[in-house]
Amino acid sequence: MKSPSEAAAIPPASSLPADTFCPQSRRRFVLIAAILASALGFIDGSVLAIATPAIRVDLGASLAEAQWISNAYALTLSALILAGGAAGDRFGLRRAFVAGIVLFVAASLACAVAPNPAVLIAFRSLQGIGAAIMVPGSLAIIAKAYPKKERGRAIGIWAAASALTTALGPVLGGLVLSAFGDGIWRAIFAINLPLGLVSIYLLLAKVPADAPTEKRSLDLGGAGLATLAFGALAYGLTSMSDKGEGLISGPSIAVGGVLLIAFIVFERRQREPMIDLSLFRIGAFAGANVATFFLYFALSANLFYLPMLLIAGWGLSAAEVGFIFLPLSALIALLSGPVGQWSDRIGPRFPIASGSLVVAVAFAGLALLAYAGIHNFWMGVFPMMALMGIGMALVVSPLSTAIMTAVEDKDTGAASGINNAVSRIGGLIAVAAMGSLAAGVYAAVLNGGAGIPGFGEPAPAGLAPDLDAARLAASDVAFAAVALVTALLCLLSAIVAWTTVSGERLPWSRGSENPQS
């Protein structure tokens, strides 16, 4: 799922020249290549949640390994995305973009043939490195190829196509998984090959090379420290759900905290830091990022663990569960424009706070449904997901506006990149921490029941009915705990937004009071 700043990102000023490097006849190839490359990341991210139960069955992955199949990608992407964006300025956008796609596709093919969870996790981390270069490059190369008067329309087409792939990817993926069985999950990664090859061909054969705009430092030291810090934190939180490694969770979290402090100190001393920490001295910017972290923590946790409950717990098909992502993507795509205009007129504070409250109600509803054992997808879960989609549609555009307007114009690119990274770090920590919560509650409810699979594992054939009923009840309570915690975090996000984000209308909207203006 796209972060707020990714949905309405503004590339760094250095990548927005007055003149374009690309002739008019070649610009459509840039747009097509960017759309295809963006689809790689969006499809992988959303479909993987639907495919996780199948991957666990096919590879025999534990809950902790399933968490790392998601988090290995999120870790390298979130830690390196700012350095990846700088690579486009340093080496040229086309060159960096192609390199990111090549690495992403090569790692995807390795994921498709992975024989065990450890190999899959290793190549997912490489996928994340490729995505850290590819994701910021897709929008930046559009902005650099199109002149200002045409740029808005091109970015609008890119955003609409991205929303379509994000919405339909899980639906189509679920249908394929249901039709062909668990082993077909490998095709999710293999499909990246033709999409990637077409993108690479268009970029190399149809698009001229652009000149590097500036010799920016990539701050690889900061990127390495960030990767180690968040990796140690995620490892410690994930280990709490693993019976064999629970004793090392505390030391891992402590090491992660120390490395995070070292990263902050390192960045403060850099001449060209990966993250401009001085921006966090601005109250509105810091508050909007805290609200982003809480909200995307909650969103990522539910989108990762809810499919596990529905498929492995309730026994629903992947085809049916694939529809839970549809209202979220569709409503954001349909409502973000009108909500953005509304936010311009009244200020971003109320839309962000009210949207966060709506999401909190949706997650509280999911918690109530699960705790009460109401196993109705279309009349229970799906309406809550639609409500969540409405809430997120109220948040995404105003949150981007709040981030951009909190800083000076020269800092909007840095602010957008930081907010993008914050949303992804929130998702990384969420998958790690909430898995431990779910596993702990699940074990406590079962009270050490023997012969029962772990949380999120499908029931084996021949499991006794009483054990299956206990497994289902424990799964419901475990997910209810996750949903309740995330509902509280969304409430906290609303409070932070209300107390820190500006409630004033934006200067360019003042004329909107006159219907004829």
Side-chain angles (χ1 to χ4, degrees):
M1 184 51 54
K2 289 177 284 186
S3 69
S5 55
E6 191 176 343
I10 298 178
S14 60
S15 63
L16 301 179
D19 299 319
T20 173
F21 73 96
C22 189
Q24 185 175 6
S25 60
R26 304 291 182 93
R27 290 172 195 157
R28 66 181 184 276
F29 300 119
V30 173
L31 185 57
I32 295 170
I35 288 171
L36 290 175
S38 297
L40 299 178
F42 294 152
I43 291 173
D44 259 24
S46 55
V47 179
L48 186 69
I50 305 295
T52 295
I55 294 174
R56 293 185 66 178
V57 171
D58 197 46
L59 296 184
S62 67
L63 176 60
E65 288 170 328
Q67 290 171 279
W68 273 108
I69 290 170
S70 172
N71 271 351
Y73 175 85
L75 171 62
T76 50
L77 174 56
S78 58
L80 301 176
I81 192 168
L82 294 176
D89 286 340
R90 183 176 178 87
F91 301 110
L93 281 173
R94 191 190 72 160
R95 181 182 299 174
F97 193 31
V98 169
I101 297 171
V102 168
L103 181 56
F104 188 91
V105 170
S108 296
L109 292 180
C111 289
V113 297
N116 55 56
V119 172
L120 179 56
I121 290 167
F123 284 110
R124 283 284 287 165
S125 67
L126 288 179
Q127 254 195 327
I129 297 173
I133 306 171
M134 181 178 72
V135 168
S138 63
L139 189 54
I141 197 169
I142 293 174
K144 193 171 184 179
Y146 282 80
K148 286 185 177 181
K149 64 180 180 180
E150 300 177 19
R151 192 175 297 149
R153 180 174 179 272
I155 291 176
I157 294 171
W158 173 87
S162 299
L164 182 64
T165 57
T166 304
L168 295 182
V171 176
L172 298 176
L175 291 171
V176 170
L177 284 165
S178 294
F180 295 99
D182 291 340
I184 200 65
W185 66 265
R186 298 178 185 275
I188 295 171
F189 296 107
I191 194 64
N192 291 337
L193 177 61
L195 293 176
L197 288 178
V198 172
S199 298
I200 294 168
Y201 167 75
L202 291 175
L203 290 166
L204 294 181
K206 302 293 186 179
V207 178
D210 62 308
T213 54
E214 58 177 306
K215 292 295 183 182
R216 293 180 62 190
S217 169
L218 298 185
D219 191 13
L220 297 181
L225 278 173
T227 303
L228 292 173
F230 291 114
L233 288 171
Y235 184 77
L237 292 169
T238 302
S239 297
M240 295 170 67
S241 68
D242 193 329
K243 295 179 180 178
E245 299 184 2
L247 293 176
I248 65 172
S249 61
S252 296
I253 293 171
V255 169
V258 171
L259 288 171
L260 186 58
I261 294 172
F263 167 72
I264 293 172
V265 172
F266 182 85
E267 289 296 284
R268 287 175 64 88
R269 296 181 177 180
Q270 287 291 99
R271 186 172 62 86
E272 291 183 319
M274 184 175 69
I275 294 180
D276 185 358
L277 296 174
S278 66
L279 294 177
F280 286 94
R281 297 172 186 166
I282 304 170
F285 178 78
N289 277 289
V290 171
T292 296
F293 180 87
F294 288 147
L295 191 64
Y296 277 80
F297 181 109
L299 181 68
S300 300
N302 281 280
L303 293 183
F304 186 78
Y305 290 107
L306 180 58
M308 279 192 195
L309 173 71
L310 299 178
I311 296 173
W314 295 11
L316 300 181
S317 69
E320 197 169 12
V321 175
F323 281 91
I324 65 172
F325 290 86
L326 188 59
L328 176 62
S329 302
L331 287 167
I332 288 177
L334 291 172
L335 299 180
S336 285
V339 168
Q341 295 175 354
W342 178 47
S343 172
D344 288 347
R345 291 196 299 270
I346 68 170
R349 175 195 292 164
F350 182 77
I352 296 172
S354 61
S356 297
L357 284 176
V358 171
V359 178
V361 171
F363 290 159
L366 289 175
L368 182 61
L369 288 171
Y371 188 78
I374 300 174
H375 299 160
N376 192 317
F377 179 77
W378 291 107
M379 298 301 292
V381 172
F382 192 81
M384 290 298 102
M385 296 301 289
L387 184 63
M388 181 194 66
I390 293 172
M392 289 301 300
L394 289 172
V395 170
V396 168
S397 181
L399 191 51
S400 295
T401 300
I403 290 291
M404 301 306 173
T405 55
V407 301
E408 299 293 334
D409 289 347
K410 64 181 179 64
D411 294 320
T412 53
S416 174
I418 290 171
N419 189 243
N420 196 340
V422 166
S423 67
R424 295 178 185 280
I425 291 167
L428 168 72
I429 300 301
V431 171
M434 293 297 97
S436 297
L437 174 64
V441 173
Y442 183 83
V445 173
L446 289 176
N447 196 22
I452 300 179
F455 175 78
E457 289 185 57
L463 185 67
D466 58 332
L467 294 180
D468 191 40
R471 177 191 69 90
L472 178 56
S475 297
D476 285 340
V477 175
F479 177 77
V482 171
L484 181 59
V485 169
T486 56
L488 293 174
L489 287 176
C490 290
L491 176 60
L492 190 56
S493 176
I495 294 171
V496 170
W498 187 260
T499 55
T500 61
V501 174
S502 172
E504 298 180 1
R505 72 183 68 180
L506 299 179
W508 58 80
S509 69
R510 297 189 188 281
S512 62
E513 292 179 352
N514 181 356
Q516 296 181 357
S517 64

